[in-house]
Structure formats: C-alpha cells, structure tokens
Amino acid sequence: MSCIFCNILKSNDKSKWIYETDKCCCFPDIDPKAPVHLLVIPKLHIESLSDVSSENADFISDIFSSIPKIVSKVGLKSYRLVSNNGEDAGQSVMHVHFHILGGRSLGWPPG
Ligand code: DGP
C-alpha cells in the first residue's frame, strides 16, 4: 500500500525537514493552516493512534519528547498539537501524524 508519508521517509530529500531522530521527523505541512504548521510523524507506518500498542509506543513517545525541542527551534511559545484519527475526525493521511500549529491566535473549539 502506498503511503505519502512513507514515501517522504524513503526519499532522500530531507531539505525541508526541520528536525529528525532515529524514530521521528518533522517537516512543514504542504497546506498550512497557520503561520507555523508542522507535521511530526513516526518513522514507522502506524495507521492511526488506535493502532498504537506496547510494540510501537516508543515511536510515539519519541515524538512527544521531540516536540519541546521542535517548538523551541521554531520559536513557538504557544501552539496547538492536533492528531486527527479516522475519517470523521479529518484524517486524510493514514499514517499517524501530529500537527503543530502556531504563530496566530487559535480558536476553540475546532470545527
Ligand atoms: P490530516 O488531514 O490530519 O490527515 O493531515 C494530513 C496533512 O498532511 C494535511 O494537512 C496535508 C499534509 N500533507 C499531505 N500530503 C503532504 C505532502 O506530500 N507533504 C507535506 N509536507 N504535507 C502533506
């Protein structure tokens, strides 16, 4: 099965990546919804958060320990972390990812 994010991981083009560990990477969203809109993805194909288990949780844990470093690197003090899971929640890429949104005032609740 073809996965856009797996293809990004397989490509040798890291020119837009702003952060990387052995388990995750971060790059700008192609369709930004805020002045800063980054995606953090695991370097393992996990379809959604519902598929996280003790077998792969270290990839998600690595994302959470990376986020403070990522937001510090891009100078965000306030930001929103979003993960859409399932089609009704707006997930369009079936590879777990976290949106980091910031750089403007963000409304609540989201639509
Ligand atoms: P979601 O709708 O929550 O599954 O978010 C998927 C996001 O992925 C969406 O905001 C657009 C982004 N996206 C889709 N394809 C690409 C791509 O090829 N490159 C980048 N940088 N982002 C992508």
Side-chain angles (χ1 to χ4, degrees):
M1 188 200 69
S2 174
C3 167
I4 294 168
F5 290 168
C6 286
N7 290 341
I8 287 174
L9 291 169
K10 275 186 227 143
S11 87
N12 284 323
D13 182 12
K14 297 185 177 181
S15 56
K16 292 189 181 142
W17 293 19
I18 63 155
Y19 185 87
E20 176 184 19
T21 69
D22 61 330
K23 291 190 175 60
C24 76
C25 69
C26 176
F27 48 81
D29 193 292
I30 203 169
D31 183 20
K33 301 291 189 276
V36 180
H37 186 171
L38 306 173
L39 297 172
V40 196
I41 71 169
K43 289 183 174 178
L44 177 74
H45 185 81
I46 304 170
E47 278 206 15
S48 84
L49 285 180
S50 302
D51 299 303
V52 174
S53 68
S54 53
E55 308 283 298
N56 56 26
D58 50 337
F59 284 82
I60 305 303
S61 158
D62 190 66
I63 287 175
F64 276 81
S65 56
S66 294
I67 284 170
K69 296 169 198 160
I70 294 167
V71 295
S72 165
K73 190 168 182 181
V74 298
L76 279 182
K77 288 206 174 106
S78 296
Y79 60 93
R80 184 169 294 162
L81 188 66
V82 174
S83 184
N84 299 321
N85 285 275
E87 285 179 17
D88 282 351
Q91 184 178 7
S92 60
V93 178
M94 299 299 159
H95 180 130
V96 166
H97 52 281
F98 295 88
H99 300 256
I100 297 174
L101 296 146
R104 67 169 167 82
S105 185
L106 298 165
W108 188 262

